[in-house]
Structures are given as C-alpha cells and as structure tokens.
Amino acid sequence: MSTSPQTGEKPVSIIVMGPSSIGKTTTARLIADKLDWIFAEGDEFHPPENIDKMSNGIPLNDEDRAPWLEKIRDWISEKAGEGQDTVLTCSALKRRYRDVLRGAGARVRFVELVAEETLVAERMSRRKGHYMPASLLSSQFAALEMLDEDEDGVKVTVDASPEEVVDRALTELGIKAG
C-alpha cells in the first residue's frame, strides 16, 4: 500500500459535498491549496449524457449517478495508489453515494457544507457559465441525506468567509496545514 507523503499513512481524500452552488469548488480549492494536495472538480467526471440531462432541467437519478460516482472513486484510488492525498468536490447527496466513494483505496473523509436553501438559491442566481439550472436546486435539497454520526466527516456552515469555512473544516477534521 502506498502512503501519503504528508502523513506517512494511508492517503486521504477529502470530499467537499452538498448541493449545487453551496460553495464546494471554492472550499475544496482552498483546502487543496492550503494542504498542497491534488484538487479535482467532481463535475468533470460526469458523462456527457448527465450534463445534457441537467442542462435541460432534468434531475439525475441513481442510475445516472452510478458511473459518475464509480469514476470518482476510481480516480481517488488511482491517486491513493500513487501515494497522493486529494481534495475534490462531489454533491454526494445520499449515503449510498458516499458508500460508493468510501470504496476507494484511500481514507475518504467528507466536509458537508451546510446552508439554508434560500441562501444557496441566491448564490446560484449569481453564478454564470454552469450547466446546473436553478430549477434543479430544490430537487438536490430534497434528495440530500446529511452526514450521519458514523460517517467520517464534518458539517460546516457557510455563514462566514471561504477562508474561515476552510479553517473550521480543517480544525474539525483534525488536519493541520503544513
């Protein structure tokens, strides 16, 4: 088994999760920069059919998400096999989705970003150039199964600056930036 150059232990993958527009990419990029870990945008793993559905306002179902989640899991495993720690975004709305991701060859930890739907909707209305229409936001909140106590992760509200959200997340995860 490869080990993380930072910890000397099994590589870690932090997945920043939550509905669209909650701040996953900003938070994940800041965490990756702060820890000097590899970053990946989960949306880039979607097959074209998923992007087409979402672009047309059609929510994804479990069958649509399965190959996407497996692709993310496999990427985490590949990087872990190289001894690389990673940070990525993934909505990971349901526990069974997170179970797929936990099947990776790394210690998979979650940072669930938490906010009221109205705040996220307002952020989404200002977002440009993304295929996810605002009409799908309520379906994401409806599908969201928050992290359970037995899942390796933390919940962090996004009621502060991105830097403060990152500091809270890393503190709660017990990870110190180098």
Side-chain angles (χ1 to χ4, degrees):
M1 176 182 81
S2 294
T3 58
S4 161
Q6 280 93 350
T7 66
E9 298 174 8
K10 184 177 186 178
V12 173
S13 183
I14 296 173
I15 298 176
V16 180
M17 59 168 283
S20 184
S21 297
I22 201 162
K24 293 185 298 292
T25 300
T26 300
T27 303
R29 281 188 193 279
L30 286 170
I31 290 172
D33 288 348
K34 195 166 221 173
L35 298 177
D36 196 28
W37 290 9
I38 295 172
F39 168 79
E41 173 61 59
D43 284 346
E44 293 178 10
F45 293 85
H46 274 297
E49 306 80 50
N50 285 6
I51 293 170
D52 289 346
K53 276 184 94 168
M54 290 184 284
S55 297
N56 289 309
I58 302 166
L60 299 180
N61 59 37
D62 291 351
E63 288 177 18
D64 297 323
R65 287 188 176 97
W68 170 63
L69 294 165
E70 291 164 2
K71 213 168 168 187
I72 292 171
R73 178 203 59 209
D74 294 347
W75 181 85
I76 294 168
S77 293
E78 178 186 323
K79 295 303 175 192
E82 298 167 0
Q84 298 294 318
D85 297 305
T86 57
V87 181
L88 62 148
T89 64
C90 178
S91 54
L93 297 173
K94 296 181 180 182
R95 183 180 182 119
R96 67 177 158 259
Y97 304 163
R98 297 188 293 273
D99 289 344
V100 171
L101 298 169
R102 272 191 286 275
R107 179 180 179 191
V108 177
R109 305 190 74 195
F110 295 93
V111 172
E112 179 180 354
L113 299 181
V114 179
E116 293 293 324
E117 187 173 345
T118 53
L119 172 64
V120 179
E122 189 243 308
R123 286 181 175 184
M124 187 177 244
S125 71
R126 294 186 308 227
R127 191 159 117 173
K128 303 288 183 241
H130 195 273
Y131 55 78
M132 174 72 83
S135 61
L136 292 182
L137 184 61
S138 60
S139 72
Q140 288 207 328
F141 270 91
L144 177 63
E145 297 171 4
M146 298 184 90
L147 282 177
D148 285 325
E149 293 292 321
D150 65 331
E151 293 185 89
D152 190 354
V154 297
K155 297 175 187 174
V156 182
T157 59
V158 294
D159 60 351
S161 71
E163 293 77 12
E164 191 173 331
V165 170
V166 166
D167 288 344
R168 286 183 200 163
L170 292 176
T171 298
E172 291 188 37
L173 288 170
I175 298 175
K176 295 192 187 305

